[in-house]
Amino acid sequence: EKVNKEKFEILEHQMNPANNFASYRSSLKVALWRSEGAVEDRQKIIIPFFSLLVKDMYFLNEGCASKLDNGLINFEKFWHLAKQISEFITWKQVDCPFDRHPPVLNYLLTNPVFSENSLSLASFECEPPENSYEKTRYKSLKEQAGL
C-alpha cells in the first residue's frame, strides 16, 4: 500500500526537536484552543507527545524550587504542575469517536517493545552514520547485538 509522504513530512516538521520542539508546542496550543470551543468529540481529541509532557513536568518539578527564598511555598511552581496534570486528565477523558479496528489493536497489543539500542540500530540501518561519533556508536551497537 502506498504511503502518503506529505503527511509524514508534516509530522516530521511538527516533531522537529529544534528550539525545544517549538513547532510541536505551537501545534499543541492551536489544538488546545480548538478543543476548548469544540462541539464534536473529534475536535476535542488531544494526543500529547507523552515523553515531552513528562520531561516538561520533570524539569518544572526539579528546576524550580518548592520554596521561595523567604521560606514560603512556591505556589507558581505547583500551579503550573497542577495545570499540566489537569490538562492531561481532561485529554484522557474525551471519548474517542473513531471505530476500533481489531487488526490495529492486535498489532499494538502483541508486538514487542524495542529497546533504545534496537531502535538506534534500526535507525542506522535506514540512515547510515554520518560522523565519527555515529560510526562508533553503530559499531558498538552491532557488536552488542552480535552482528
Side-chain angles (χ1 to χ4, degrees), residues 60-61 63-81:
L60 179 60
N61 188 49
C64 296
S66 295
K67 290 191 175 184
L68 301 173
D69 291 338
N70 60 10
L72 297 176
I73 294 172
N74 184 353
F75 281 102
E76 185 174 359
K77 168 189 173 175
F78 293 105
W79 180 84
H80 283 290
L81 281 170

Side-chain angles (χ1 to χ4, degrees), residues 36-106:
E36 288 173 4
V39 177
E40 296 180 26
D41 282 344
R42 285 176 180 249
Q43 296 171 328
K44 293 179 185 177
I45 294 174
I46 304 283
I47 302 173
F49 182 11
F50 190 72
S51 61
L52 190 57
L53 175 72
V54 171
K55 181 189 110 179
D56 287 348
M57 291 177 63
Y58 173 81
F59 283 109
L60 179 60
N61 188 49
E62 294 297 317
C64 296
S66 295
K67 290 191 175 184
L68 301 173
D69 291 338
N70 60 10
L72 297 176
I73 294 172
N74 184 353
F75 281 102
E76 185 174 359
K77 168 189 173 175
F78 293 105
W79 180 84
H80 283 290
L81 281 170
K83 182 175 182 252
Q84 287 189 342
I85 293 167
S86 295
E87 284 178 343
F88 180 72
I89 289 169
T90 300
W91 302 337
K92 231 181 142 229
Q93 291 174 341
V94 174
D95 288 327
C96 181
F98 302 107
D99 294 335
R100 292 176 184 240
H101 295 280
V104 173
L105 286 173
N106 183 52

